[in-house]
Amino acid sequence: LDLGIPWRVRTTVRRVGPTDYPVTLKVPLLEGEAVTEGGFTAKDGQVSITLERDQAEVTWLSTLTEAAAVTLTAPTDVPWTEVWTLSCSPVFACEHSGPAPLVHVVGGAWNPAWRVWPGEAVTVSVRRPDAVEGQTTTIDGATLTLSPGRRQLIGELSMTLRSSQGGRQKLT
């Protein structure tokens, strides 16, 4: 899951056995998931895929409808296991409940990953972080250069600032 803007799901089906023969599977989609890239179509909440002979994996991308929580449940009675990873944008605050992830940090970022048993479920609660009280703009530096002219004084102000709010900034 990539919970950014927009929410996306990257699904990779990887064959771990021999590639001597073709394999056909129906992979269930999450609630609110819509396949957008990869050449696959969804029907009845599932994607039908075929791994051809000598083909080890297939991947597709989907969008996911934003919700207060996303529940991932490992299917039972299927011939595969699942690995889930979560990437939560700083725009959101994500918390999870269920089994503990095996990995919490990948490449210095919080990206939990789960290897689940059939029937296990993880619920990811998503909300916008609360605003922090205080200044929204910080001036890191300002340099005023004045150059005298024959009849006028020329002034140039160079400034570096940071803001936690986008859009136009008004300075007084």
Side-chain angles (χ1 to χ4, degrees), residues 77-155:
D77 301 326
V78 294
W80 67 77
T81 60
E82 295 190 0
V83 177
W84 304 327
T85 59
L86 171 65
S87 174
C88 186
S89 167
V91 174
F92 301 104
C94 297
E95 297 176 355
H96 59 82
S97 62
L102 291 177
V103 177
H104 290 275
V105 177
V106 176
W110 184 73
N111 288 39
W114 293 265
R115 288 187 177 269
V116 291
W117 291 94
E120 284 188 320
V122 171
T123 299
V124 179
S125 301
V126 185
R127 63 178 176 77
R128 294 275 183 166
D130 298 329
V132 177
E133 290 189 30
Q135 296 293 326
T136 59
T137 304
T138 300
I139 298 174
D140 290 324
T143 304
L144 177 61
T145 306
L146 298 173
S147 303
R150 295 182 110 188
R151 295 186 180 190
Q152 63 183 359
L153 185 64
I154 298 172

